[in-house]
Amino acid sequence: QVQLVESGGGSVQAGGSLRLSCARSGYSYSTYCMGWFRQAPGKGREGVATIHDDGSTFYADSVKGRFTISKDNAKNTLFLQMNSLKPEDTGMYYCAAEGLTVIGGCSMGVPDFGYWGQGTQVTVSS
């Protein structure tokens, strides 16, 4: 069983930055893929960024060049550095683990991840 706890969300103005963290505990058979997802009010959950143990990363087109996913294996922590934030980045951000490995890295699909955190709210005002 894997437990994921996100932190670092908050309210910022457009152009600002936030750094999300996800602390992971527990045992999992598959540790290769982790990711960040978000859900805006009234919309479905979508992939933001994923990272494989080999360092491969995938990003949604909407965040490329602004967000960076990384992890500290020694501390079992996943990060998402978010710069140049826009109002459309507003939403609940979720950390996910035990994702599906695909060619080139990790899937960005919501159904492909087995464990989820409770989420942390990010609000970007214009």
Side-chain angles (χ1 to χ4, degrees), residues 45-113:
R45 194 171 297 189
E46 64 176 1
V48 175
T50 59
I51 185 167
H52 192 276
D53 263 2
D54 67 6
S56 302
T57 56
F58 281 160
Y59 293 93
D61 288 344
S62 59
V63 307
K64 282 181 182 176
R66 301 187 298 122
F67 290 11
T68 302
I69 188 171
S70 63
K71 60 179 182 173
D72 184 334
N73 288 330
K75 296 182 179 180
N76 288 325
T77 304
L78 181 72
F79 302 101
L80 184 69
Q81 178 67 43
M82 306 187 294
N83 299 327
S84 302
L85 282 161
K86 304 176 180 179
E88 51 264 44
D89 294 319
T90 293
M92 187 71 76
Y93 281 68
Y94 299 91
C95 172
E98 201 174 276
L100 181 67
T101 297
V102 297
I103 295 175
C106 299
S107 169
M108 292 277 282
V110 171
D112 294 331
F113 282 76

Side-chain angles (χ1 to χ4, degrees), residues 10-18 66-67 82 84-91 93 121-126:
S11 297
V12 296
Q13 291 191 326
S17 298
L18 284 173
R66 301 187 298 122
F67 290 11
M82 306 187 294
S84 302
L85 282 161
K86 304 176 180 179
E88 51 264 44
D89 294 319
T90 293
Y93 281 68
Q121 178 68 36
V122 171
T123 302
V124 185
S125 58
S126 58

